[in-house]
Amino acid sequence: DGGITQSPKYLFRKEGQNVTLSCEQNLNHDAMYWYRQDPGQGLRLIYYSQIVNDFQKGDIAEGYSVSREKKESFPLTVTSAQKNPTAFYLCASSRTGSTSYEQYFGPGTRLTVT
Amino acid sequence: KQEVTQIPAALSVPEGENLVLNCSFTDSAIYNLQWFRQDPGKGLTSLLLIQSSQREQTSGRLNASLDKSSGRSTLYIAASQPGDSATYLCAVSPTGNQFYFGTGTSLTVIP
């Protein structure tokens, strides 16, 4: 089955530690995205990548970093510089160069930092 | 920057009722609009995608419309069922590669 996997489902870290969230897709999509979801707020874009070895900042990139070394993978690192890292993180992918850009989402990772 | 609003924030209806969810956006220059469903603690499931040149899309009991000039979209759900209970999110893309999301409408269908 084609889809997007995110691991782990739940992640707990101490304040001051960096943590990396995994996102893998086997949909052969060129574009991948990271969003953050907080209670009472809509999803906010952190980073996106439309091609391997290239990525752009979204609206809330501060305190986060990404890499795109493979088409299938787009890991997100939450650094100690992120002031409020506790949130639900969602990864998505889509085709590019088409007329739709329909986004497909993974199951999410809930990060708790104490 | 595109602002997306969904009203109401919560809606409760009896089973079998037809209902409409609303989404409004501030900039009519959009590439497409996508409706999603989210169950508690889960990722988003795509329901319908409407291109900027389209007026509506249908899938089963769902029908989404788009009126760019007024900055509005509606999601119509026919003959609602308890399994439709979820949060429904609207997302607008100005360029095709970035989406701006509303805060969602939490729907409860009462058996």
Side-chain angles (χ1 to χ4, degrees):
Chain A
D1 287 338
I4 302 174
T5 57
Q6 291 186 243
S7 61
K9 186 174 182 179
Y10 298 97
L11 192 53
F12 299 89
R13 280 294 182 270
K14 294 291 188 182
E15 193 172 322
Q17 293 179 334
N18 292 352
V19 60
T20 297
L21 282 60
S22 169
C23 178
E24 304 276 335
Q25 55 99 359
N26 61 4
L27 299 169
N28 199 32
H29 286 168
D30 287 311
M32 297 186 74
Y33 312 79
W34 274 107
Y35 292 91
R36 170 183 173 136
Q37 187 176 34
D38 295 281
Q41 297 193 42
L43 275 69
R44 292 180 291 168
L45 182 65
I46 305 172
Y47 270 99
Y48 66 100
S49 167
Q50 292 190 287
I51 195 170
V52 173
N53 292 323
D54 188 46
F55 46 83
Q56 287 77 41
K57 293 181 179 180
D59 295 326
I60 56 166
E62 185 175 351
Y64 299 98
S65 66
V66 294
S67 63
R68 186 84 186 278
E69 297 178 1
K70 299 187 299 182
K71 186 176 183 178
E72 303 79 23
S73 178
F74 191 40
L76 173 74
T77 297
V78 184
T79 75
S80 57
Q82 169 51 231
K83 296 179 181 178
N84 297 296
T86 295
F88 190 47
Y89 290 88
L90 290 157
C91 178
S93 70
S94 73
R95 291 179 293 180
T96 60
S98 68
T99 57
S100 69
Y101 291 96
E102 183 172 5
Q103 293 204 333
Y104 296 86
F105 280 79
T109 291
R110 187 165 299 279
L111 173 65
T112 302
V113 177
T114 57
Chain B
K1 179 186 170 183
Q2 182 73 264
E3 300 286 340
V4 182
T5 303
Q6 292 186 249
I7 295 173
L11 181 64
S12 184
V13 300
E15 182 177 359
E17 189 163 300
N18 302 328
L19 60 101
V20 174
L21 306 180
N22 297 296
C23 172
S24 61
F25 46 94
T26 54
D27 189 343
S28 62
I30 66 169
Y31 190 85
N32 58 32
L33 183 147
Q34 194 168 357
W35 281 94
F36 295 89
R37 168 190 172 132
Q38 186 176 30
D39 293 287
K42 305 291 186 182
L44 277 64
T45 299
S46 178
L47 297 174
L48 290 164
L49 176 83
I50 308 178
Q51 302 292 343
S52 61
S53 59
Q54 298 173 322
R55 294 298 298 259
E56 66 178 324
Q57 282 283 358
T58 298
S59 176
R61 294 183 294 109
L62 306 179
N63 176 275
S65 68
L66 174 63
D67 184 345
K68 287 197 305 178
S69 61
S70 66
R72 299 179 71 175
S73 175
T74 61
L75 179 66
Y76 174 83
I77 303 177
S80 58
Q81 303 170 358
D84 294 331
S85 298
T87 295
Y88 290 81
L89 295 160
C90 162
V92 174
S93 179
T95 60
N97 58 7
Q98 287 195 60
F99 278 85
Y100 293 92
F101 283 79
T103 53
T105 294
S106 176
L107 173 65
T108 301
V109 180
I110 303 167

